Amino acid sequence: MTPSTPERRVLVALEAGRPGLDALAAAATLAARLGAHLEALLVEDPDLLRAASLPAAFQLAAPSGAPRPVDRDAIEAELRAVAARAREALAAAVRPLGLSSSFAVARGEPWREVVEAARRADLVVLVDRGPAGRGPAVLPRVAALARSSVLVLRRGAAVGARLVVAHDGSPASDRALDLAAVLAGTAARLALLVLAASPEEARRITRSARLRLGRAEDIPSTWTGGLGRERLLRAAPRHGTLLVLAAEGSRRDLGTLEDLVREIGDSILLAR
Amino acid sequence: MVHAVQDKARERKLAVVRTPVGFVVAPVREGEVLDTDQFQKLPEEEQRHIQVDIAAVQEELQAALRNVPQLDREHRQRVKDLNREVALYAVGHLLEDLRRRYADLPQVLAHLDAVRADVLENVHDFLGSSDGEDTASQMRKLLSESPTLRRYRVNVMVDNGGAGGAPVVEEDLPTFANLVGRIEHHVHLGALLTDFTLLRPGALHRANGGYLLLDARRLLLQPFAWEQLKRALSRGQIRLEAPEQIFGLGAGATLEPEPIPLDVKVVLTGEPLLYYLLATHEPEFIEHFKVAAELEDDLPRDGHELEYARLVATLARQAGLKALSRGAVARVIERAARLAGDAERLTTRVELVKDLLREADHAARAAHRDLVLREDVQAALDAQARREGRLREKLLEQIVRGTVLIDTSGTQAGQVNALSFHQLGRFTFGRPSRVTARVRLGRGEVVDIEREVELGGPIHSKGVLILASLLAARYSPDRPFTLSASLVFEQSYGGVEGDSASVAELYALLSALSGAAIRQGIAVTGSVNQLGQVQAIGGANEKIEGFFDVCAERGLTGEQGVIIPAANAKDLMLRPDVVEACGRGAFHVWAIDEVDAGLEILTGVTAGERGADGRFAPGSLNARVAARLEDLAEAARSYAGSPAPPAYRTGAARS
């Protein structure tokens, strides 16, 4: 009897207030490369319902700003419509790839719901759409607290782009490299950003990383020129690339993940 | 701006909550939005304050949202400007490189400016996933996958970058499209579409700035090609137009590209006749083709044999053939003289020589020789003659078997062997024909039976009329010419043309008049003028060989031969077997320049010259002819009942 392999899962988290359905296509692509099940989670913030149930509550339509009375029932209807659209978008994203998928709706504080759902996932995909409203931002919390890898997609980013792996020679970096290799689908899309104190160390890390991937010289490598947060931020690629960074282990004084995610300002994959 | 409103709301303990379709402003306590129960438990005063604060924040939020479209427009414009700036940074230096390279070509510079403006205006077309590829690969992919980017492609019509000098182009199929180019189409949703990338160059484009070689006959055979070439040369431009556009046919989309300046020398090659016809009937021909160069079909042999031998060696080397021995080269040169139809000239039709060399090479290879010998060349010639000589063999067989009556021995009055020349494709040969003559009293005419039945051509008829004039003037200058003679090519069922049998016909007539028998082992060729001079004819070699073959089949007697005009002696390049037979006296070739010499050879009788008394020498053949004509005149006079005029003032004595 062949021992069964635990199924990989990719979780794509959507906020009901700003669902960001374009993340579904990117998440489906990654799930296909990982051979994973794709789970979409739509989180409804209870604050929406509470705000709408207040006496004489008004909703200002976006982007016109036209005011109109709103109540709990109206918000409930809007949430159902969002869920229906998200379900259809998920089906459209997985159909051409032949992926298995599931769709769930959760009502609660968004970051808690996502962190809870992330316990079952190997990779969480979030869309960063800027500051979220009144509560703590979902993205940094999930990035810091989830036990799975977290991909933060900036609006318009494509997962087919080049993946740049920040590598400091640590085992955690090696795991990040392994994940990036799988997600890239081809070594031609991979590059190294080496966090090292000296050129010699950078060469050693580069050589080790290339050997790990079984490639000799054809994976480009860039040295940050030194250690530390500033060096990384300065050397980190922009525009269409995806920075892959080990979320744990030796990060050579990179500061908190929350800050790092905010300051990178581009798509980033925190590998665990 | 919404964020600023959010910050202000936070100061008032309010939250701007994002809903699926907009925003709701709500009070917050201890990090959570108040629900209805919690709100209603607040003191009324506080509730009023909250309501006022919510209204104020909503108003600010409304104001912010009203600015959103404007901000969005500004944002998009700024993004567009940024994209243009980045694009200019990315492509500007590339275009500058090109501008420097083509600084002396203002049209190219204008195009590059237009490209830059268009790229900046449509920079969004270039934005997309880089997919890990380098820039060049991305551009190739973009250009191939995106139809809208086809406009940036360059359609290289002609690339003479690697040429060392002016282009020399030979177009062996000068169709309309092959000359001026064509506009191709592709089918899209049932419609024929095209664009500038589907323009294809023609020979004029490729030869622009150089030389274009065309075969005149092929050019004239192609519909509209000549007209289009004239048009291009007249205007000094190549206009790439679809034929259906010129002639108002077809409804598919097409282009009208800007004309390209044309500077080309066109060389037309062809037969001289074509040149003369065009010069006569095509007014614009001389205007465009001012320089005529007529190439000789042959060249003088004297002093050029060595050069010709080098030519033969070069032709063999170019064709990858075996080297030729001295004897082989000599035989090829002999053949070249034969092809020129003149022993003192050599043909310049090298294709014929090349064919002979190839076949001789084959013969040498079959004999496992490294060198082509004279015998190989001869074997090739014999093989050619065998392959192409079926009709000649058939005619020869008919003569030998007696189906066609040709005597090659004995004597006969009023009958002579004439010789005719035939050409079947590239193969030429000669054959004998029997010419007979009959004379009687008449009204001074020589009847050409061939002409009477419309089997004789005009030149042949002219020759016969000359005979009548010659006879009358030479033998009956001051008496009525009362002869009626008839001439016929026996067993001739096709047409007879040319005057090369006129000497033979004259001898038949003189023999008939004089009664002198003609040796049938001798054939005659040559034309004669009114003064009795024998003039050159064509195909002397073939004619001699034709009669030789008949005689050889029946056995050479040593008495046989051919009389030819002396002017043709220089043309003789006879087959080796004929030369050999002549060398040992088994066959003869006599060259004459006036008719009396031939008469004596044919009859063995002295021709006789006119003496001081105006009469031919007594007993001579000419005297017998004159006497016969005098008798006929006398007979005519007695029939008419009129007194006879004196034959000659000094009196006459018949021989």
Side-chain angles (χ1 to χ4, degrees):
Chain A
M1 186 174 176
T2 307
S4 62
T5 308
E7 186 184 36
R8 284 183 166 178
R9 297 178 78 86
V10 171
L11 171 71
V12 55
L14 311 170
E15 288 186 71
R18 293 183 294 175
L21 300 181
D22 47 350
L24 287 169
T29 302
L30 293 176
R33 289 185 187 165
L34 286 171
H37 173 86
L38 179 62
E39 177 183 351
L41 175 68
L42 180 68
V43 183
E44 298 173 351
D45 191 339
D47 281 355
L48 290 177
L49 299 165
R50 280 198 284 268
S53 61
L54 288 170
F58 272 84
Q59 179 172 239
L60 300 179
S64 67
R68 67 180 179 203
V70 69
D71 57 20
R72 185 182 180 97
D73 291 344
I75 290 293
E76 291 278 14
E78 287 174 10
L79 292 175
R80 284 196 297 276
V82 168
R85 286 204 304 276
R87 199 186 304 271
E88 287 173 11
L90 174 66
V94 300
R95 194 179 303 121
L97 300 172
L99 288 175
S100 68
S101 65
S102 55
F103 182 80
V105 178
R107 184 167 290 178
E109 196 167 357
W111 71 268
R112 287 186 197 281
E113 295 298 328
V114 176
V115 169
E116 178 60 26
R119 293 177 192 280
R120 305 185 300 271
D122 299 282
L123 173 64
V124 179
V125 179
L126 297 171
V127 182
D128 179 18
R129 297 174 71 89
R134 51 101 211 155
V138 172
L139 195 148
R141 290 291 186 89
V142 174
L145 299 175
R147 294 183 180 175
S148 57
S149 298
V150 176
L151 170 62
V152 180
L153 273 180
R154 301 295 173 183
R155 191 176 180 183
V159 294
R162 185 182 289 270
L163 277 72
V164 179
V165 183
H167 203 300
D168 60 4
S170 66
S173 292
D174 283 343
R175 287 197 296 277
L177 185 62
D178 294 343
L179 178 61
V182 175
L183 292 178
T186 167
R189 293 198 186 100
L190 277 181
L192 292 171
L193 181 64
V194 181
L195 291 156
S198 65
E200 293 73 23
E201 187 187 10
R203 276 195 290 275
R204 182 182 56 74
I205 293 173
T206 299
R207 190 164 53 250
S208 167
R210 286 173 175 164
L211 285 172
R212 185 174 184 84
L213 295 174
R215 316 290 297 203
E217 296 295 333
D218 52 352
I219 296 178
S221 173
T222 306
W223 177 40
T224 54
L227 296 174
R229 178 190 196 81
E230 290 305 315
R231 295 282 190 180
L232 175 67
L233 291 175
R234 201 183 306 152
R238 298 287 190 275
H239 308 302
T241 55
L242 174 61
L243 179 65
V244 182
L245 190 66
E248 295 163 351
S250 168
R251 292 199 307 278
R252 305 288 180 101
D253 304 324
L254 298 182
T256 66
L257 274 178
E258 271 192 69
D259 294 342
L260 197 59
V261 167
R262 193 175 63 249
E263 290 179 33
I264 287 290
D266 212 336
S267 296
I268 181 168
L269 171 60
L270 299 170
R272 288 187 168 90
Chain B
M1 293 181 74
V2 174
H3 301 156
V5 176
Q6 282 176 330
D7 291 342
K8 286 185 179 176
R10 202 171 292 124
E11 291 170 5
R12 297 174 190 238
K13 296 184 178 175
L14 297 175
V16 178
V17 180
R18 182 79 191 248
T19 72
V21 295
F23 299 91
V24 175
V25 182
V28 177
R29 294 293 181 271
E30 296 174 2
E32 287 197 345
V33 171
L34 295 180
D35 62 15
T36 310
D37 291 341
Q38 291 169 324
F39 181 77
Q40 285 175 345
K41 285 176 185 172
L42 294 174
E44 286 190 7
E45 182 63 20
E46 189 175 353
Q47 287 184 26
R48 272 199 301 278
H49 275 295
I50 291 174
Q51 294 290 11
V52 170
D53 285 345
I54 287 177
V57 171
Q58 278 182 342
E59 199 171 323
E60 286 184 37
L61 187 57
Q62 253 181 312
L65 289 174
R66 272 197 295 272
N67 284 330
V68 167
Q70 175 63 26
L71 290 172
D72 191 48
R73 273 196 299 276
E74 289 174 7
H75 170 73
R76 272 183 279 149
Q77 185 59 45
R78 288 182 65 183
V79 169
K80 189 175 177 182
D81 290 346
L82 184 62
N83 281 336
R84 286 171 63 100
E85 193 178 321
V86 172
L88 186 59
Y89 177 75
V91 304
H93 66 286
L94 299 175
L95 287 169
E96 277 309 310
D97 287 348
L98 292 173
R99 287 183 63 84
R100 275 194 292 277
R101 190 186 302 177
Y102 300 109
D104 57 337
L105 298 171
Q107 288 156 315
V108 174
L109 296 182
H111 175 72
L112 291 174
D113 288 343
V115 167
R116 181 168 63 180
D118 196 78
V119 167
L120 296 181
E121 190 61 32
N122 300 283
V123 67
H124 54 275
D125 289 345
F126 295 90
L127 301 179
S129 166
S130 64
D131 218 19
E133 294 171 338
D134 58 39
T135 307
S137 304
Q138 289 174 41
M139 287 307 296
R140 275 196 295 273
K141 196 173 171 185
L142 269 173
L143 290 176
S144 64
E145 290 178 354
S146 176
T148 59
L149 298 185
R150 283 171 67 92
R151 64 182 182 276
Y152 297 118
R153 287 186 180 180
V154 174
N155 181 6
V156 179
M157 297 283 277
V158 178
D159 181 5
N160 284 333
V168 179
V169 175
E170 182 176 9
E171 176 55 62
D172 63 353
L173 183 61
T175 62
F176 179 98
N178 286 354
L179 276 180
V180 297
R182 62 187 186 279
I183 302 173
E184 293 184 343
H185 293 77
H186 62 84
V187 180
H188 181 68
L189 299 176
L192 288 174
L193 300 179
T194 186
D195 60 47
F196 74 97
T197 64
L198 297 175
L199 301 180
R200 299 289 178 257
L204 284 172
H205 293 97
R206 295 196 303 277
N208 205 356
Y211 303 89
L212 175 61
L213 277 58
L214 298 172
D215 183 283
R217 187 170 172 276
R218 289 179 188 167
L219 176 70
L220 294 170
L221 283 173
Q222 296 299 331
F224 314 122
W226 170 247
E227 284 301 319
Q228 199 65 8
L229 177 65
K230 277 195 309 182
R231 195 162 167 236
L233 294 175
S234 298
R235 295 186 173 203
Q237 294 177 335
I238 313 172
R239 278 185 180 273
L240 212 170
E241 294 167 303
E244 61 269 23
Q245 186 184 358
I246 295 174
F247 302 109
L249 306 170
T254 189
L255 300 172
E256 194 175 336
E258 191 177 333
I260 295 174
L262 177 66
D263 175 20
V264 67
K265 301 280 184 295
V266 179
V267 180
L268 284 183
T269 55
E271 296 294 321
L273 175 63
L274 209 49
Y275 175 84
Y276 299 130
L277 286 172
L278 284 168
T280 306
H281 299 292
E282 169 57 285
E284 293 172 63
F285 177 72
I286 292 296
E287 188 182 322
H288 293 306
F289 297 91
K290 299 179 191 301
V291 180
E294 193 166 352
L295 303 181
E296 289 285 356
D297 287 337
D298 49 39
L299 54 86
R301 184 172 180 175
D302 186 28
H304 291 90
E305 280 188 329
L306 189 59
E307 291 169 14
Y308 207 87
R310 289 190 185 127
L311 170 68
V312 169
T314 301
L315 291 175
R317 191 166 55 248
Q318 285 178 345
L321 306 177
K322 289 180 181 297
L324 284 81
S325 69
R326 294 172 64 180
V329 173
R331 185 67 188 101
V332 172
I333 291 176
E334 288 167 13
R335 177 62 180 170
R338 173 64 181 263
L339 288 170
D342 189 331
E344 296 174 358
R345 302 189 73 82
L346 299 170
T347 185
T348 54
R349 297 161 68 192
V350 291
E351 276 307 315
L352 298 176
V353 178
K354 272 174 35 179
D355 289 347
L356 175 60
L357 293 178
R358 285 193 196 95
E359 203 157 347
D361 176 84
H362 176 76
R365 286 176 195 276
H368 306 291
R369 273 195 283 275
D370 292 331
L371 202 61
V372 177
L373 303 181
R374 183 183 183 91
E375 63 201 73
D376 297 321
V377 179
Q378 187 58 48
L381 288 169
D382 292 344
Q384 285 180 0
R386 262 198 316 280
R387 287 196 305 271
E388 299 173 352
R390 189 189 62 83
L391 183 61
R392 185 196 64 165
E393 295 298 327
K394 197 80 178 170
L395 289 171
L396 180 60
E397 182 187 335
Q398 287 179 342
I399 292 170
V400 173
R401 293 175 65 185
T403 308
V404 173
L405 299 178
I406 297 291
D407 290 341
T408 53
S409 61
T411 58
Q412 179 67 44
Q415 172 179 308
V416 68
N417 290 323
L419 293 167
S420 56
F421 174 77
H422 301 265
Q423 181 159 16
L424 298 171
R426 294 193 315 185
F427 183 66
T428 55
F429 66 96
R431 57 163 292 202
S433 295
R434 174 177 287 178
V435 172
T436 58
R438 286 290 182 266
V439 295
R440 63 185 185 282
L441 179 62
R443 291 183 294 181
E445 59 184 2
V446 176
V447 177
D448 176 12
I449 290 181
E450 309 298 330
R451 184 184 64 186
E452 295 299 315
V453 296
E454 297 182 349
L455 284 175
I459 299 174
H460 181 257
S461 299
K462 176 188 171 188
V464 174
L465 291 173
I466 287 172
L467 294 185
S469 169
L470 170 64
L471 283 174
R474 191 174 195 209
Y475 298 105
S476 188
D478 44 12
R479 284 180 181 274
F481 187 57
T482 54
L483 171 74
S484 178
S486 60
L487 283 169
V488 65
F489 266 71
E490 302 291 354
Q491 292 182 289
S492 166
Y493 308 107
V496 176
E497 179 55 315
D499 62 353
S500 69
S502 59
V503 171
E505 289 166 332
L506 176 63
Y507 289 153
L509 279 172
L510 294 177
S511 169
L513 283 168
S514 65
I518 286 178
R519 290 164 60 187
Q520 297 299 301
I522 297 174
V524 179
T525 184
S527 72
V528 64
N529 63 18
Q530 291 190 100
L531 304 176
Q533 294 166 321
V534 177
Q535 303 167 142
I537 45 82
N541 291 302
E542 288 81 356
K543 289 174 177 175
I544 294 169
E545 287 166 359
F547 190 65
F548 173 83
D549 288 338
V550 174
C551 296
E553 279 293 321
R554 290 175 174 167
L556 295 174
T557 61
E559 302 294 323
Q560 295 149 330
V562 177
I563 295 174
I564 62 167
N568 284 114
K570 62 178 174 33
D571 300 339
L572 293 189
M573 281 301 303
L574 293 165
R575 287 194 327 239
D577 54 338
V578 181
V579 174
E580 185 273 333
C582 291
R584 61 184 165 85
F587 196 75
H588 306 275
V589 176
W590 294 278
I592 61 171
D593 51 17
E594 48 86 25
V595 293
D596 284 351
L599 267 179
E600 292 178 356
I601 295 168
L602 283 168
T603 61
V605 179
T606 303
E609 294 184 1
R610 201 181 286 277
D613 58 356
R615 301 176 69 96
F616 287 107
S620 68
L621 196 143
N622 283 332
R624 288 160 66 176
V625 172
R628 178 70 189 277
L629 288 173
E630 197 174 325
D631 289 345
L632 290 172
E634 182 62 29
R637 189 192 62 78
S638 44
Y639 276 119
S642 58
Y648 297 101
R649 288 182 185 178
T650 53
R654 287 199 316 234
S655 61

